[in-house]
Amino acid sequence: MTLPLSGYRILSAEQYGAGPYGTMFLAQLGAEVIKIEAPKGGDTARAVGPHFLRPNESIFFQTFNLNKKSITLDLNSEDGQQVLHRLVGSAHAVANNLRGDLPARMGLTYGALKAANPAIVCAHLSAYGRDNERARWPGYDYLMQAEAGFLAMTGEPDAPPTRFGLSIVDFMTGTMMAVGLLAALLDAQRSGKGRDIDVDLLSAALHQTSYPAMWYLNEGDVTGRSPRSAHPSVTPSQMFRTADGWIFAMAQLPKFWRVLVERIGRPELADDPRFASAEARLENREALTELLDQTFMQRPTAYWLELLAGHMPVAPVFQLDQALDNPFIRERGLVDTVSHPDRAELRVLANPIRIDGAQLPNRAAPLLGADTDAVLAEAGLDSAEIERLKDKGVI
């Protein structure tokens, strides 16, 4: 497979989740992504437990760094800056997800790097942005979910505000950074001039409030939490109890409402005045939920899935182990296997993008500094110079 980003080199001063998630997509699409890590310890994600392949080599780190290379380089040193500029000369982009005030201090902006390469694209992912009073603030995904209103819209109405079970803001923001980087890279290929691209966690989180935000901004309508993880304005579109668990059914269109009641053996509900229109069903959601529960609870989830799947939008409500062991997931090849020095068959998630119908290839994330010597030699540093940098702790 010829990957679309083959031949592009991206340097990334990244750590933990958001930035590495975005650059991993670029690496899986064929770009040579070179992680720049601190000589002592490297990416903080390497130390995140509870599961490790070896000391300071966590499975958490593997999650976000497939297909990359790793070099160690102290960007806070003069020697490190000189090496960075040599590397930038042959690179197409430099990405980072540092605190907002650090890219300028560490020489990672377009202004600092354009002399080494006028076409270099500099992508910055921070918590709150680089140009405001919060630039120096540290920040994480959960804080953004809290401040952008995610927690207030998630969970049952009578429960405390609830966060997503995953760091979804990190993943969204990393993806947005990758999109911005690619857009700027396309323009740099035409114009010969690079630029700075910025995205921050809070802005990305707020942007994802989407249609509830539009409802509030234009109509003053504050979307709260709905029972059973239900859609805020359409019903039935929620979880229902079955004999052995839960099922999520989404009869959001009139045709699916008719399919639902007919296939579960309750056609009379379609003509019940309380449920005869979308507006009536929403007004009487609690009564409708009780009636549908009575039916769904008579049989296990598998029975209802066989009856409804393919005829209307419906899904089982799985635990994580059930989701990953789902035969359909295996059939689709959504779990891949890579070889790591400490585990011959390390199971990883396949990239969801396909090229010409084929899945993108994966390889294990690199050990800390695994590619330092090779990358620096390619940049023109001889063995004596590399040893000098090692002796000084720069690499």
Side-chain angles (χ1 to χ4, degrees), residues 171-248:
F171 308 150
M172 293 187 300
T173 311
T175 304
M176 292 177 189
M177 181 190 73
V179 171
L181 185 155
L182 290 173
L185 186 57
L186 282 173
D187 182 65
Q189 300 300 290
R190 291 185 303 224
S191 68
K193 183 179 179 181
R195 64 181 70 198
D196 289 302
I197 294 291
D198 279 89
V199 64
D200 63 86
L201 296 176
L202 183 58
S203 296
L206 194 69
H207 189 265
Q208 294 302 302
T209 56
S210 185
Y211 57 87
M214 293 291 286
W215 291 344
Y216 170 71
L217 292 171
N218 294 283
E219 303 296 336
D221 182 1
V222 179
T223 300
R225 286 172 280 170
S226 301
R228 303 281 186 88
S229 296
H231 190 283
S233 63
V234 181
T235 197
S237 181
Q238 64 184 68
M239 293 192 300
F240 295 98
R241 291 185 183 273
T242 66
D244 62 351
W246 297 89
I247 192 170
F248 208 114

Side-chain angles (χ1 to χ4, degrees), residues 34 38 57 106 180 238 247 258 261 276 279 392:
I34 300 173
E57 290 292 342
M106 298 177 71
Q238 64 184 68
I247 192 170
R258 178 67 68 174
V261 297
E279 294 78 13
K392 294 183 68 175

